Amino acid sequence: MNYTELNKFCRKKSFLLYSIITILVLSCLAPAGVLGESAREVFNGREDASFVIENLRYTDIKGTGAEAEILKAGAMGILKGYGSRLFSPVAYLTKEEALALVYRMAGREEEAQLEGQRLNMLRRAGDRKTAPQDVWSDGFLQLAANDGLITNQDLQDALKPDQGTLDTDSFRRDAPVLRQEFASWLARVLQLEPVYVQEAIFNSFNDWRSAAPENIPWIEAVLRKGIMSNDGNGYFRPNGFVDRKTAAVILNNALDDIMALRGMRREFGRVEDITTAEKAEAGKRITEKIYHIRNSDGSLHNLVVDNKRGIVIIKDGIAGNSEALAFGDRIEYIAGYSDETGGWSVVCAEVISSVNDTEYVAVKLMEMDTQLRIAKVKQYFRLDFPHIRPGDDISFNMAPSESNAVYRYKEGIAGDIKPGDMLILTIQNGIITEMQRVEFPFTPAPENVIGGIVEENNPSLGYITLYNEDGTGISPEHVEEMVLFRTFNYPPGKRVEAFRNHKTVSPDEISEGDTVFIRLDSEGYIESMSAAENYITRRGRILSRAGNRITVQYENKTEQILEISGNTVVIIDGKIADSRLLEEGDHAEFLLNVTAGGTTVRRISVNNGNKLITGLYKAVLADVDLFTQSIKIYNVEKLQGNRWDRIEHKGVTEVKLSEDCSFYADGLKLSRDEISPRYRGDRLYMAVRSGYGNEEVVETVLLTSSDTETVFSDEILSASDSGVIRLSAERLSLYCSLGAIIVSNGRLVGPGYISKGDMACLVANRDPFTGRYNAVLVSVIDNTGIGNLEIYRGRIAKIEENSSFTLSSFSRLEEKGWVYSNTPRTFNILHSTRIVNEEGVANIRDFKGYGEDSSIGRTIYVVADGINARLLSNVSYGSFLTRGTIRGIEGDTIYLGDVRNYNPGKLIWEETEDIQVRPAPNTIIIKNGDIVTAGDLARGDTITILRKDGGSEEAYVVITGSGIW
Amino acid sequence: MKNKRITACIITILTIACICSSVQARPGDCGFEGGISSGYVEGQQTFEYGEVCFLTGKPIELRGTLIIKKSLRQGVIRSTYTYNLANEQENATLRRVFTYDTTVTQTGSRQTLEETVFSRNPSEIVEVDGRSYVLTGFDFSRSNIIDQRPAVNFYAGNVHGRKTYSVAGAGGGTVTVDISGDFYGYEQYWGTIETGKYIYHIKHTGQGAGADSWGGTVENNYSFTSSKRFDYRENIPELISFQGGYVQAEYNRSVLEYRTLLPEFDSAGYSTDNMIEKKGTMAVETFPVQKRLPVPSLNHLRGHWAENDIKRLYSLGVFQGGEETFNPEQVITRAEFTEAIVRAAKAVPVDPDLQERGTSRVASRKKEETAVSPFRDVPADHELFKSVSEAYERGLVNGIGNGLFAPDNTLTMAEALTILIRALGLENMGPGQNAVTVFRDNDDIPYYARNAAYVAYRIGLVQGDTTGRLNPNQSLTKSRAAALLNRFIDYMREDMARDYREKVLLYSLLW
């Protein structure tokens, strides 16, 4: 634990706990650290400090962005100003200056002086140069020629006294140095390793071809070392010039190499304390000021100044004396060995930042938004200084919950930094002010397995975000905690193993709200995930549907709009179905994923069970019995087809109320305890569904005092959500009020659900004052008729036992009678294919083409669904079609009214008197597209029958529905 | 320590003694044959019973009586089930006597395991249309695990068995029925439920010439509940000293759904290849037993938004005393809430048939023993000592640490939810990790209460306020506590049962 952390944590209220621990630890350690510890090394100031500072008061460097570098270069005496407080930062470095600079960097000034003097001595006396600078300049050139930086021809050119006579290809010493030349000289003088392999770094520059081939390995070397770099746009510009401020920056970038060659040191540390001490020197009392510096390697250094020796301090772009140093400052101090004193003295010190406002974090950049300038990073550890050097004291001091962070960054600092880069961030007051790409000298060891609740999973964008470990992280008030979001990245181009409820799934099936464990690989990418769902189930009814949005009413009467997405699984009666098959009025269980971000529906399981409406009644209210939860009624009539029928029971009867039975009257919804006293004796309409053990249960009741009832049986022309239903034949409109019972396909629906063309039975009361028809009951009639079934008759030519059979030729029953076809026809025999005869059900296994009971040659009826036979019957041949409505059923006799016989000669249905018919055990009976038995026929059904002739009471085929084909 | 446990024991027994319901749907009251019964009604030994017989290949609904005799000796329950069923229309009868031994073992601090086997040879004869099916062999085992929580006992178990019948007469043979069933249920004061799903595989093997062999499956889903319902009755005369009051109705109701997949038989009685799926339902219920609940004098609350909640809690005895001075806007103390929750989440009733003889005597003899309080600040002579120590013994509440309960401190929403969810024993419904709730002030919910808040939302005990907040750290007022407790009681009465039923039944229960 150190100050950096203390500082960081103290600013994060959310980590109060950590802060307390840190403070506790620090309160015992911090003072002891300084007071009780003796310095490992002592650095003295330099005697010429005030002189140097005076010389560094440049007036023209402010705003160059390289102030510190220029001052440092000056303080070290490597790149000085031109005097008169001018540095001339934008002046181009000349070739001779450049050579002088690189040799000074390497500490070879003395050597150059000697060469210069030697060269001067070789000149004729009159030609000798007198100014030492000129002599030395020549020395640098000679040295360069000696080292092979320049050719002898170049040297000759350079030494020509009249430079103006040289042509453009010649080496003019006062011409600006080219970047490639400078890079090459620098690399060679600093003894960098040339890089001959074509390397990515150089290749990534757009203009590398314009560099001289011999310079390339050296350019490569300086690029690799980070001494020079591109211009920010992907160009190296080998033939560009180098201005003096850039030279200062390059010098600073090369500091480590310079230090080594010049026998200097460069240290980093933090001002931990400042003390004064008195000492006697030559009989005088001298006050020493001691700066206690905690070095980045953890040891304690003392920088000592007194009245003679000071330190050149570079802070905020200005050179000053040691008074500028403050508690908490992070400094870089450069020291040289002094043979005089036999110790190290500080050449200069730069204040980099203060622990009070700046921190450095080693991170991996996970994502960045260059528009908003937001960087999502994985934080590894904090650093004292914006670099990692061998021997630096690094500890993994990041709390697990902080490992993912989001920061904003300053404009213009991102450069070509991209996700995946390892960076050291300089974070000043919570904003990234600098991003520095680094290569870590080690593999960060991230936490291996993380658990939590998924906030967001986005495999296509490559990340998953979890909530905080303690379940917080959704309150908008806690913006600061945004930084603490736990985001993990999918490895690019690699498959991630994912499990959900211990079954292998694709990663995108892990969804918001899931409990998840994530295992990370050594690079911090997701390797494997294992999740379990945290879903909520709710039951309810679909009130309405518009496209992919359904309005659902839950059992607790709350309503919600749900969006059906591609991920929503729809299950209808136990089988996966298309979501378009969801209908208004369906009862379903909804599997919901309720998260802070909203509700998504994962599964809708429709199970109408016994909730489908099975009957519509009209009666008079006697009482609502709250104790037994039932309704007592009399004069009960049931809607059969399109007419009311009295039920068998006479007088008062009772029907149970369902748990959520609704009551409506006068356009109001009422509670069940309000009904009895107010509406006793009123007429009511109710819809019932079947209950357990043959009982019926009331779902909804509509009470009305009006008794001007009319029943319509008509085709719907239009129906609107607002409840206006227009009829085709009657040419009038009916108005549905609140509570009107509208039933379609067994479901209670709203008026908007009825479609144009539906056949319906409608019950309405006529308002005596306005003449308006108020609909109380609408029952959409299922008019499927024969559906997909077809009826054939023909002679059996061949039987493949239990497999198939063939008719030699066949007739097919159509709306106007049999249609003959003189071709054979084969039908499949399935396990479910049934066969009936006079006695009833026969065994299909006895349907054989051999032996005594062979069926070959016999004529049969076949009810088929495509090529599959559903029912075989040996009932007699008939061709006389009659249509009628069932008036009543007594035993096995069916009484028909509204009878019409089909006259094939005139192609019309002719009215005739009422008849009675009796279906036989082998009669084919079809209702709503399915084969049924006589017991399924009901009063009110309209049927079409096939008989032998108009006088026959035997029906061979019975099909319900008015338009059967 | 020992003292404390004895105290707890006495209290529990005493409480049970006063809350025995007159109507109860006890586990096992429906037998283990996939049928349904009307369940326990005080003073009745004979239950109405129904089941579906499909030995003939055609479902036949049989109805009649079931008599259950039980005794508990040395941890073994011996129970004899006698069935007498018939269906006149189908000319069918069934007589059956099964005797089981159930061993009860404690397997954990809260869990017990029940294992049931036959103690004597089972006997069963089914006659349909003059043909008799005689049970010749029955392998049977049933095991059930019971998890006891402060206010609810949850259980889940399985039944496996194989019955063999011999069919007499021409076309006879054997019928083998493989049985596998799962059942789930819970018992608590406000209602009990058992739901189950039994699957039968039937195999008929004919004998002699022209023997007919066939097979089919039957699925039986049942639910067996006892519930309490409260209806408010307005007084009709005006000149009466009190306003209307609540009537409590208790009843048992069982429903059965069956789905059969059996071959169609031809007119000669031979099976065909056509498999017919049939569905049917049966229901058995008791006539409700009603009780008028006391009417509190809360006239000063007329029109208050929590009037009905408070009134109902007084009627149910959850709130007691101080009606005239009841101030709904006052904050509730920890001790007051504890007293209320002890009455709202009453201990699970025990089967009156299974009380070992002498327990009540033991209870009365030890009654005088000095009580030791678990908390230093709730001494034995504290007004609410009984409730607090009962709540503690049942695991409904913990202290605040250091042997203190802080009875007069206020109670926050978060604390209340933690207690309620613990009472139900549903803590584990939360995600394994720390839950994230949907409340806008999720981050303000104390760490310890977040899972409880999550579960409470999920089961519908709480919803956010109009702005989607839970306000977890607000102290509960008495009116808010009343609303919460009422919702809690309704949850125990209705919602829990609904979840069990609807997860097992294809249809849903009607009322």
Side-chain angles (χ1 to χ4, degrees):
Chain A
M1 293 285 172
N2 52 38
Y3 281 105
T4 323
E5 275 176 84
L6 168 69
N7 193 269
K8 166 82 176 172
F9 283 129
C10 285
R11 282 190 289 110
K12 289 210 181 299
K13 289 175 212 113
S14 52
F15 278 86
L16 199 58
L17 186 69
Y18 289 99
S19 314
I20 291 165
I21 294 166
T22 319
I23 289 163
L24 285 177
V25 172
L26 279 166
S27 56
C28 8
L29 287 184
V34 173
L35 298 178
E37 192 182 343
S38 57
R40 184 183 288 175
E41 283 193 76
V42 176
F43 295 77
N44 289 312
R46 59 195 273 186
E47 288 186 4
D48 60 352
S50 54
F51 187 70
V52 172
I53 292 166
E54 187 55 36
N55 277 344
L56 292 177
R57 298 228 161 130
Y58 299 131
T59 55
D60 56 354
I61 63 167
K62 205 173 168 198
T64 55
E67 294 92 338
E69 287 83 355
I70 292 168
L71 294 173
K72 236 191 287 177
M76 286 164 68
I78 298 177
L79 181 61
K80 293 184 194 167
Y82 287 135
S84 314
R85 298 198 167 166
L86 289 177
F87 177 74
S88 307
V90 294
Y92 291 125
L93 205 61
T94 63
K95 289 188 202 286
E96 64 177 334
E97 281 174 333
L99 285 172
L101 180 61
V102 296
Y103 281 110
R104 280 203 197 96
M105 284 183 186
R108 291 169 69 180
E109 298 98 315
E110 219 168 310
E111 213 181 314
Q113 278 177 30
L114 292 175
E115 279 296 327
Q117 279 160 15
R118 191 179 61 81
L119 202 64
N120 211 20
M121 294 305 284
L122 292 176
R123 291 193 176 106
R124 280 170 292 165
D127 294 342
R128 284 193 188 138
K129 297 184 178 178
T130 49
Q133 270 83 5
D134 294 346
V135 176
W136 296 346
S137 281
D138 290 350
F140 286 122
L141 288 164
Q142 181 62 50
L143 211 51
N146 296 353
D147 287 351
L149 301 189
I150 57 174
T151 61
N152 278 329
Q153 182 58 48
D154 288 345
L155 182 65
Q156 299 304 315
D157 290 349
L159 293 180
K160 274 201 180 129
D162 188 0
Q163 293 279 302
T165 60
L166 293 172
D167 58 36
T168 47
D169 289 339
S170 306
F171 188 91
R172 281 178 57 162
R173 60 193 295 171
D174 58 349
V177 67
L178 299 182
R179 277 171 63 87
Q180 55 174 323
E181 282 172 339
F182 189 56
S184 151
W185 296 343
L186 193 64
R188 283 191 267 186
V189 175
L190 293 181
Q191 299 165 26
L192 304 185
E193 283 282 316
V195 182
Y196 293 104
V197 189
Q198 287 256 310
E199 268 289 323
I201 299 175
F202 193 65
N203 283 345
S204 67
F205 289 96
N206 301 323
D207 54 355
W208 69 277
R209 281 167 214 284
S210 55
E214 67 271 18
N215 287 336
I216 289 179
W218 302 110
I219 296 173
E220 189 87 41
V222 295
L223 286 173
R224 278 217 190 172
K225 276 253 177 182
I227 293 171
M228 288 174 80
S229 62
N230 67 7
D231 67 347
N233 295 318
Y235 291 93
F236 180 74
R237 305 204 185 286
N239 297 318
F241 303 146
V242 181
D243 61 23
R244 286 168 50 83
K245 71 164 191 291
T246 308
V249 172
I250 291 170
L251 185 154
N252 270 274
N253 291 343
L255 263 186
D256 281 326
D257 293 290
I258 295 169
M259 297 289 114
L261 292 170
R262 288 182 67 105
M264 295 168 87
R265 305 169 51 174
R266 178 193 198 196
E267 299 287 340
F268 291 88
R270 192 178 65 234
V271 180
E272 220 170 68
D273 205 359
I274 302 168
T275 57
T276 52
E278 302 230 318
K279 69 167 187 183
E281 196 176 84
K284 275 203 245 167
R285 284 165 71 89
I286 297 172
T287 307
E288 279 183 345
K289 201 162 191 180
I290 303 162
Y291 294 90
H292 301 261
I293 309 296
R294 177 65 58 190
N295 190 270
S296 61
D297 67 4
S299 65
L300 191 69
H301 289 182
N302 280 355
L303 310 190
V304 182
V305 297
D306 55 28
N307 52 354
K308 281 207 308 214
R309 289 162 298 192
I311 302 175
V312 180
I313 299 293
I314 298 157
K315 186 175 187 177
D316 300 331
I318 298 167
N321 63 22
S322 61
E323 292 303 314
L325 275 187
F327 180 86
D329 278 351
R330 294 195 186 93
I331 60 169
E332 177 195 65
Y333 47 113
I334 291 165
Y337 193 78
S338 155
D339 290 323
E340 291 164 50
T341 58
W344 292 95
S345 66
V346 179
V347 173
C348 64
E350 184 194 350
V351 176
I352 300 165
S353 64
S354 167
V355 294
N356 298 319
D357 57 20
T358 307
E359 61 182 41
Y360 304 102
V361 195
V363 302
K364 179 172 183 177
L365 182 64
M366 306 310 268
E367 256 180 80
M368 65 195 295
D369 183 330
T370 50
Q371 214 88 71
L372 298 169
R373 297 204 309 280
I374 289 172
K376 269 195 180 179
V377 296
K378 181 161 194 60
Q379 310 199 101
Y380 295 122
F381 49 86
R382 293 201 177 77
L383 292 157
D384 255 355
F385 293 93
H387 48 69
I388 303 166
R389 302 197 311 168
D392 278 359
D393 188 20
I394 292 165
S395 53
F396 288 85
N397 49 10
M398 199 62 78
S401 53
E402 287 183 288
S403 71
N404 285 273
V406 177
Y407 296 103
R408 290 181 62 86
Y409 61 85
K410 233 172 85 178
E411 198 168 355
I413 61 162
D416 58 350
I417 281 167
K418 57 188 186 307
D421 283 352
M422 296 288 188
L423 305 173
I424 290 175
L425 303 181
T426 303
I427 298 166
Q428 230 163 15
N429 299 319
I431 294 174
I432 303 173
T433 54
E434 206 183 326
M435 296 193 233
Q436 193 191 338
R437 198 174 356 211
V438 286
E439 267 179 51
F440 289 150
F442 53 85
T443 316
E447 321 127 79
N448 215 1
V449 174
I450 299 109
I453 308 285
V454 179
E455 191 202 346
E456 192 189 351
N457 180 23
N458 202 334
S460 54
L461 290 181
Y463 65 90
I464 182 166
T465 305
L466 311 186
Y467 288 102
N468 293 328
E469 277 173 306
D470 63 352
T472 59
I474 69 165
S475 299
E477 296 92 346
H478 297 193
V479 176
E480 202 180 2
E481 288 173 18
M482 292 283 284
V483 182
L484 304 175
F485 274 4
R486 298 157 59 77
T487 298
F488 302 93
N489 287 54
Y490 289 89
K494 224 164 88 185
R495 242 202 50 162
V496 166
E497 184 184 44
F499 303 94
R500 192 149 188 269
N501 300 327
H502 306 290
K503 290 189 182 99
T504 306
V505 295
S506 106
D508 56 5
E509 283 178 54
I510 292 175
S511 46
E512 284 162 46
D514 281 2
T515 300
V516 70
F517 290 94
I518 298 175
R519 191 168 64 227
L520 303 175
D521 65 14
S522 56
E523 288 177 65
Y525 284 119
I526 301 167
E527 188 174 84
S528 173
M529 305 195 282
S530 179
E533 70 203 10
N534 289 307
Y535 286 160
I536 293 179
T537 49
R538 286 253 160 97
R539 275 171 291 273
R541 196 163 75 92
I542 298 174
L543 281 186
S544 68
R545 155 152 215 194
N548 277 331
R549 304 173 72 132
I550 52 171
T551 308
V552 175
Q553 185 182 51
Y554 298 120
E555 278 173 337
N556 63 2
K557 299 291 171 210
T558 58
E559 288 178 18
Q560 187 173 27
I561 293 173
L562 299 175
E563 190 99 23
I564 300 168
S565 72
N567 293 329
T568 309
V569 178
V570 174
I571 295 172
I572 297 178
D573 294 327
K575 292 186 183 89
I576 291 185
D578 193 291
S579 67
R580 283 169 295 192
L581 296 175
L582 290 176
E583 291 191 51
E584 260 178 52
D586 271 344
H587 292 264
E589 185 182 78
F590 300 88
L591 190 66
L592 304 175
N593 191 11
V594 183
T595 64
T599 301
T600 45
V601 55
R602 296 281 162 188
R603 194 175 69 209
I604 301 176
S605 315
V606 176
N607 184 356
N608 288 306
N610 58 348
K611 291 203 163 151
L612 292 179
I613 300 300
T614 52
L616 297 167
Y617 289 93
K618 172 169 83 168
V620 179
L621 178 70
D623 189 20
V624 171
D625 185 338
L626 295 174
F627 186 61
T628 57
Q629 295 290 315
S630 61
I631 186 168
K632 315 265 197 238
I633 47 178
Y634 58 97
N635 293 358
V636 187
E637 289 179 273
K638 187 175 186 185
L639 191 67
Q640 299 275 19
N642 52 17
R643 50 176 291 164
W644 291 112
D645 267 350
R646 292 182 187 177
I647 63 162
E648 216 167 290
H649 184 91
K650 296 176 213 70
V652 176
T653 185
E654 71 168 349
V655 194
K656 259 186 186 150
L657 298 175
S658 81
E659 212 172 27
D660 46 6
C661 177
S662 325
F663 290 86
Y664 298 92
D666 307 324
L668 294 172
K669 190 169 184 192
L670 302 165
S671 73
R672 61 184 68 181
D673 57 349
E674 290 175 288
I675 304 299
S676 265
R678 284 162 64 182
Y679 296 95
R680 195 166 286 151
D682 275 1
R683 179 184 294 177
L684 65 83
Y685 297 90
M686 62 188 205
V688 305
R689 55 183 170 85
S690 65
Y692 284 95
N694 304 325
E695 67 188 4
E696 288 186 315
V697 188
V698 186
E699 269 289 277
T700 181
V701 178
L702 176 68
L703 292 133
T704 168
S705 50
S706 169
D707 58 353
T708 53
E709 187 195 88
T710 318
V711 179
F712 302 97
S713 181
D714 207 335
E715 192 183 319
I716 307 292
L717 191 65
S718 73
S720 70
D721 282 327
S722 57
V724 185
I725 300 171
R726 290 175 61 216
L727 303 182
S728 294
E730 295 283 346
R731 298 244 159 244
L732 55 83
S733 295
L734 308 184
Y735 297 84
C736 302
S737 61
L738 182 72
I741 300 167
I742 303 168
V743 178
S744 169
N745 202 8
R747 293 159 175 83
L748 278 173
V749 296
Y753 189 78
I754 308 171
S755 333
K756 178 176 165 24
D758 279 350
M759 282 299 298
C761 171
L762 306 101
V763 180
N765 281 304
R766 189 159 191 218
D767 189 313
F769 303 108
T770 63
R772 203 165 97 150
Y773 284 97
N774 296 317
V776 289
L777 206 66
V778 180
S779 171
V780 177
I781 295 165
D782 187 338
N783 204 15
T784 315
I786 193 164
N788 294 328
L789 300 177
E790 288 171 314
I791 299 171
Y792 297 88
R793 190 174 157 83
R795 191 171 300 276
I796 299 166
K798 193 176 152 196
I799 299 173
E800 290 287 341
E801 210 179 333
N802 295 330
S803 169
S804 67
F805 64 94
T806 306
L807 303 180
S808 51
S809 63
F810 65 90
S811 299
R812 191 169 63 208
L813 191 60
E814 293 188 355
E815 195 167 7
K816 306 282 159 65
W818 292 105
V819 177
Y820 178 72
S821 190
N822 190 17
T823 51
R825 182 131 195 163
T826 302
F827 298 92
N828 289 331
I829 301 173
L830 308 179
H831 278 96
S832 58
T833 303
R834 299 167 72 234
I835 180 164
V836 289
N837 57 28
E838 304 78 2
E839 326 233 289
V841 180
N843 215 315
I844 195 74
R845 292 203 185 189
D846 298 334
F847 183 61
K848 293 184 276 207
Y850 57 88
E852 262 180 53
D853 300 327
S854 170
S855 299
I856 299 285
R858 294 191 186 172
T859 307
I860 54 160
Y861 283 82
V862 181
V863 182
D865 186 352
I867 57 163
N868 296 324
R870 294 273 308 273
L871 179 72
L872 312 182
S873 172
N874 66 348
V875 76
S876 313
Y877 174 72
S879 61
F880 193 83
L881 285 168
T882 302
R883 187 172 287 174
T885 304
I886 300 177
R887 288 270 182 263
I889 302 172
E890 281 175 11
D892 54 2
T893 307
I894 297 171
Y895 296 91
L896 289 181
D898 301 334
V899 185
R900 288 156 192 263
N901 291 330
Y902 184 67
N903 183 333
K906 294 184 184 165
L907 300 171
I908 52 164
W909 293 89
E910 290 170 339
E911 265 181 64
T912 178
E913 67 230 28
D914 291 0
I915 56 161
Q916 60 189 66
V917 290
R918 268 185 302 277
N922 52 356
T923 296
I924 295 164
I925 304 171
I926 293 171
K927 187 172 185 176
N928 296 341
D930 215 349
I931 299 164
V932 298
T933 62
D936 295 307
L937 295 174
R939 198 173 134 91
D941 284 350
T942 299
I943 58 173
T944 304
I945 57 174
L946 186 72
R947 294 183 292 167
K948 196 166 148 195
D949 53 49
S952 169
E953 290 192 357
E954 281 177 67
Y956 304 139
V957 175
V958 177
I959 298 163
T960 63
S962 48
I964 52 172
W965 278 276
Chain B
M1 260 334 264
K2 201 164 191 184
N3 259 348
K4 216 188 277 174
R5 202 160 290 149
I6 293 166
T7 324
C9 189
I10 297 163
I11 289 166
T12 323
I13 290 164
L14 289 176
T15 330
I16 289 158
C18 17
I19 58 158
C20 263
S21 308
S22 46
V23 173
Q24 212 177 325
R26 303 171 305 183
D29 273 1
C30 284
F32 312 121
E33 295 295 307
I36 48 169
S37 90
S38 55
Y40 174 82
V41 178
E42 203 176 355
Q44 284 181 23
Q45 280 298 320
T46 309
F47 302 158
E48 211 185 308
Y49 181 85
E51 73 173 58
V52 186
C53 170
F54 33 77
L55 295 173
T56 59
K58 195 176 131 189
I60 299 169
E61 289 181 15
L62 296 167
R63 284 175 173 274
T65 57
L66 166 64
I67 300 167
I68 304 177
K69 286 193 176 130
K70 280 195 263 193
S71 64
L72 172 63
R73 269 190 210 98
Q74 288 149 3
V76 177
I77 303 165
R78 173 157 296 180
S79 45
T80 302
Y81 288 72
T82 309
Y83 300 82
N84 251 309
L85 312 174
N87 182 331
E88 278 180 32
Q89 241 176 341
E90 303 279 347
N91 193 17
T93 59
L94 181 149
R95 278 170 295 133
R96 176 195 291 148
V97 181
F98 286 172
T99 303
Y100 306 97
D101 275 348
T102 302
T103 318
V104 182
T105 348
Q106 192 85 20
T107 55
S109 59
R110 285 190 318 249
Q111 289 191 349
T112 45
L113 174 70
E114 284 184 358
E115 285 167 296
T116 307
V117 291
F118 281 123
S119 77
R120 286 189 210 118
N121 270 349
S123 79
E124 180 181 330
I125 299 171
V126 183
E127 284 184 29
V128 183
D129 249 350
R131 174 172 287 183
S132 54
Y133 297 77
V134 180
L135 185 68
T136 55
F138 193 2
D139 296 315
F140 173 85
S141 77
R142 170 186 180 269
S143 70
N144 181 25
I145 192 99
I146 304 162
D147 189 29
Q148 284 139 336
R149 297 293 176 148
V152 188
N153 288 355
F154 294 94
Y155 62 91
N158 307 81
V159 170
H160 287 282
R162 170 172 291 178
K163 277 175 157 180
T164 314
Y165 297 86
S166 87
V167 190
T174 54
V175 178
T176 317
V177 182
D178 283 342
I179 305 157
S180 96
D182 300 321
F183 56 90
Y184 306 89
Y186 64 77
E187 291 184 275
Q188 39 112 325
Y189 174 76
W190 299 106
T192 56
I193 191 164
E194 179 178 315
T195 57
K197 184 187 282 280
Y198 278 64
I199 293 171
Y200 301 87
H201 294 286
I202 310 125
K203 197 170 86 186
H204 179 276
T205 316
Q207 267 172 354
D212 191 24
S213 284
W214 53 265
T217 65
V218 175
E219 192 182 308
N220 262 6
N221 300 319
Y222 70 95
S223 118
F224 174 42
T225 48
S226 82
S227 5
K228 290 186 171 70
R229 202 181 66 226
F230 310 105
D231 292 312
Y232 187 75
R233 296 297 167 82
E234 206 81 56
N235 287 332
I236 293 166
E238 263 182 72
L239 300 178
I240 193 160
S241 64
F242 57 86
Q243 293 174 47
Y246 283 96
V247 177
Q248 172 186 291
E250 277 183 274
Y251 55 93
N252 292 340
R253 180 175 165 90
S254 302
V255 297
L256 171 70
E257 291 166 6
Y258 60 90
R259 195 157 58 169
T260 61
L261 185 67
L262 292 162
E264 186 177 24
F265 291 87
D266 66 18
S267 45
Y270 279 94
S271 54
T272 69
D273 287 318
N274 184 36
M275 298 295 284
I276 297 179
E277 199 180 311
K278 272 191 186 153
K279 289 178 190 171
T281 60
M282 285 178 94
V284 179
E285 65 192 354
T286 60
F287 194 76
V289 174
Q290 66 129 349
K291 188 168 85 184
R292 189 84 194 201
L293 299 178
V295 180
S297 0
L298 291 165
N299 204 31
H300 64 291
L301 295 182
R302 262 176 95 162
H304 188 277
W305 59 265
E307 181 190 359
N308 282 341
D309 286 327
I310 296 163
K311 215 183 229 175
R312 203 165 82 156
L313 291 183
Y314 266 110
S315 293
L316 294 173
V318 173
F319 284 171
Q320 285 178 12
E323 291 145 64
E324 285 85 354
T325 56
F326 186 90
N327 177 0
E329 300 320 319
Q330 203 175 25
V331 290
I332 195 162
T333 66
R334 283 171 57 85
E336 285 166 342
F337 188 80
T338 303
E339 187 186 36
I341 190 70
V342 163
R343 292 167 178 155
K346 286 181 181 151
V348 180
V350 292
D351 184 345
D353 282 1
L354 292 183
Q355 290 189 38
E356 291 207 55
R357 295 220 166 98
T359 34
S360 52
R361 246 183 297 134
V362 174
S364 54
R365 201 170 55 228
K366 291 201 178 172
K367 200 174 165 184
E368 300 305 320
E369 221 170 287
T370 31
V372 180
S373 172
F375 300 111
R376 280 188 282 134
D377 53 356
V378 188
D381 56 355
H382 190 282
E383 197 189 355
L384 301 176
F385 163 73
K386 250 186 79 178
S387 304
V388 171
S389 57
E390 185 194 333
Y392 176 76
E393 299 294 350
R394 282 175 52 201
L396 286 165
V397 294
N398 301 320
I400 57 164
N402 270 336
L404 294 174
F405 183 71
D408 300 323
N409 279 10
T410 60
L411 184 93
T412 64
M413 179 58 123
E415 288 172 318
L417 291 181
T418 313
I419 295 172
L420 294 177
I421 297 303
R422 195 187 297 136
L424 295 172
L426 296 179
E427 305 93 309
N428 293 338
M429 267 177 72
Q433 312 283 336
N434 286 301
V436 180
T437 68
V438 298
F439 300 111
R440 276 192 61 207
D441 49 1
N442 168 71
D443 292 5
D444 298 338
I445 302 172
Y447 179 79
Y448 66 84
R450 201 167 281 119
N451 261 341
Y454 172 89
V455 175
Y457 174 80
R458 181 164 164 182
I459 67 177
L461 213 52
V462 284
Q463 289 180 328
D465 65 10
T466 47
T467 61
R469 286 163 201 278
L470 177 66
N471 304 315
N473 300 316
Q474 248 174 40
S475 294
L476 275 193
T477 58
K478 288 185 174 174
S479 60
R480 276 187 85 193
L484 188 61
L485 286 167
N486 253 320
R487 182 69 202 102
F488 175 75
I489 291 171
D490 282 347
Y491 176 77
M492 289 184 78
R493 276 191 328 109
E494 290 173 347
D495 302 31
M496 278 180 86
R498 187 174 294 156
D499 180 67
Y500 272 73
R501 278 189 321 243
E502 304 211 345
K503 282 277 154 49
V504 173
L505 297 183
L506 297 170
Y507 295 178
S508 71
L509 207 62
L510 308 167
W511 53 279

